[in-house]
């Protein structure tokens, strides 16, 4: 009885590359699903505001009540427009390919999508965005997935509420743009820090009540995306004081912009 020949080293490497590519596709679809889920919840809140204040305006015919109802409806409609513009930017203006990318707009769009969630969990967001920060050479869609993942991780590390700082600057080393996400959460034990970017390693028991987290794929996928960008990601953490993720991405130069 003859046995099947063992696969060659080249065949095995090709299979590994194929599986990695398939995993990246699945991670991308999962991230898109979370993004759409977040946007849907946001729209539902906006619609409920519009419906409730429309009913108020119909029931109460005095000018004060109608002015209040119309003001709230206008405010909700402007929020809906922000959400729509954010989703359209994701679909229309950002490709998976590397190009000069304004990280400030990605930060602002991501915070619009997570505003309700952060407010629900009593999280305060602070931003320090240097307006002179140059564009990074990056895929906007992929970097937004990284940012959303890190923001959600930061929120989950503060079950009693807290503060997240998002900072964007040009690195002291001129060829980099630096993005930092710092939380005031529980921190990561020093013994676990070397493993947090490993696939399937997680400190969480499972998804939280929002259905997010617990697979161990999040930070591993983040590191893979940053590595693909020829960038760097590092973590600084102290138990009881919080965690900071610092990302460096290459600055877009003239040759890249023309490519």
């Amino acid at each position: 009885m003859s046995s099947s020949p063992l696969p060659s080293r080249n065949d095995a490497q090709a299979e590994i590359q194929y599986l990695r590519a398939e995993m990246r596709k699945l991670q991308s679809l999962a991230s898109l699903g979370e993004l759409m889920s977040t946007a849907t919840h946001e729209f539902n809140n906006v619609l409920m505001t519009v419906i409730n204040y429309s009913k108020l305006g119909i029931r109460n015919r005095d000018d004060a009540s109608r002015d209040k109802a119309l003001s709230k409806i206008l405010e909700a409609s402007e929020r809906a427009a922000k959400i729509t513009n954010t989703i359209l930017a994701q679909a229309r203006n950002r490709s998976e390919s590397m190009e000069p990318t304004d990280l400030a707009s990605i930060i602002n769009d991501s915070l619009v999508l997570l505003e309700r969630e952060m407010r629900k969990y009593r999280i305060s967001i602070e931003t320090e965005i240097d307006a002179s920060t140059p564009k990074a050479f990056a895929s906007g869609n992929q970097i937004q997935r990284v940012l959303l993942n890190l923001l959600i991780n930061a929120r989950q590390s503060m079950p009693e509420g807290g503060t997240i700082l998002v900072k964007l600057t040009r690195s002291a080393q001129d060829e980099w743009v630096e993005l930092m996400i710092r939380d005031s959460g529980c921190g990561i034990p020093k013994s676990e820090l070397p493993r947090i970017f490993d696939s399937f390693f997680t400190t969480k028991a499972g998804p939280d009540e929002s259905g997010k987290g617990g697979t161990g794929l999040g930070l591993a996928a983040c590191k893979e995306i940053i590595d693909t960008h020829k960038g760097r990601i590092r973590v600084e953490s102290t138990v009881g004081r919080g965690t900071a993720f610092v990302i460096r991405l290459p600055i877009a130069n003239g040759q890249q912009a023309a490519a």
Side-chain angles (χ1 to χ4, degrees):
M1 183 176 180
S2 61
S3 59
S4 301
L6 294 174
S8 69
R9 180 180 179 84
N10 288 340
D11 289 342
Q13 286 295 107
E15 182 70 13
I16 290 171
Q17 292 300 320
Y18 171 78
L19 292 174
R20 284 178 175 171
E22 289 301 302
M23 179 173 285
R24 281 194 292 271
K25 290 179 184 177
L26 291 174
Q27 290 167 345
S28 176
L29 288 172
S31 298
L32 182 60
E34 284 194 1
L35 182 64
M36 292 301 103
S37 174
T38 299
T40 300
H41 283 298
E42 292 289 344
F43 262 108
N44 185 60
N45 283 335
V46 168
L47 288 173
M48 290 307 299
T49 298
V50 170
I51 290 169
N52 289 334
Y53 278 100
S54 296
K55 290 178 178 177
L56 176 67
I58 292 171
R59 284 197 308 266
N60 299 280
R61 299 186 177 274
D62 60 286
D63 290 342
S65 294
R66 290 198 167 185
D67 286 348
K68 178 182 179 181
L70 289 171
S71 176
K72 292 294 185 181
I73 290 169
L74 176 60
E75 183 181 313
S77 299
E78 289 173 342
R79 170 132 183 86
K82 281 185 180 180
I83 297 169
T84 300
N85 289 336
T86 298
I87 298 300
L88 288 176
Q90 171 89 8
R92 181 182 61 230
N93 297 330
R94 296 181 192 154
S95 67
E96 295 294 326
S97 61
M98 304 289 191
E99 58 191 14
T101 301
D102 180 12
L103 296 186
S105 67
I106 291 176
I107 292 170
N108 291 329
D109 288 349
S110 299
L111 294 181
V112 165
L113 290 174
L114 293 176
E115 181 180 322
R116 182 195 66 87
E117 180 173 336
M118 293 300 180
R119 190 167 58 246
K120 174 183 176 181
Y121 290 99
R122 304 177 304 283
I123 304 298
S124 172
I125 301 289
E126 298 176 359
T127 58
E128 294 180 11
I129 298 176
D130 185 345
S132 66
T133 305
K135 292 183 178 181
F137 189 63
S139 159
N141 281 346
Q142 292 182 24
I143 296 305
Q144 185 173 48
R145 287 198 286 271
V146 171
L147 180 58
L148 288 170
N149 189 291
L150 295 178
L151 287 169
I152 291 168
N153 280 355
R155 187 269 292 169
Q156 291 173 327
S157 76
M158 298 179 286
E160 304 302 320
T163 302
I164 297 174
L165 170 65
V166 182
K167 185 176 181 180
L168 178 66
T169 60
R170 184 170 188 153
S171 173
Q173 296 176 315
D174 284 344
E175 70 271 22
W176 302 101
V177 174
E178 188 167 285
L179 172 62
M180 182 184 74
I181 299 92
R182 181 188 297 278
D183 65 61
S184 60
C186 57
I188 303 170
K190 187 177 291 187
S191 61
E192 295 179 356
L193 282 175
R195 300 177 58 201
I196 62 168
F197 293 115
D198 292 350
S199 296
F200 304 108
F201 177 78
T202 181
T203 59
K204 303 167 188 173
D208 64 11
E209 62 179 12
S210 70
K212 297 172 180 174
T215 64
L217 289 174
L219 289 177
C222 288
K223 186 176 188 308
E224 184 174 356
I225 288 172
I226 300 304
D227 287 346
T228 301
H229 281 70
K230 296 182 170 58
R232 301 171 186 172
I233 182 170
R234 73 175 192 274
V235 60
E236 304 165 357
S237 189
T238 302
V239 172
R241 296 184 62 183
T243 301
F245 285 90
V246 181
I247 295 170
R248 286 183 176 177
L249 294 168
I251 288 174
N253 57 42
Q255 290 180 336
Q256 291 169 336

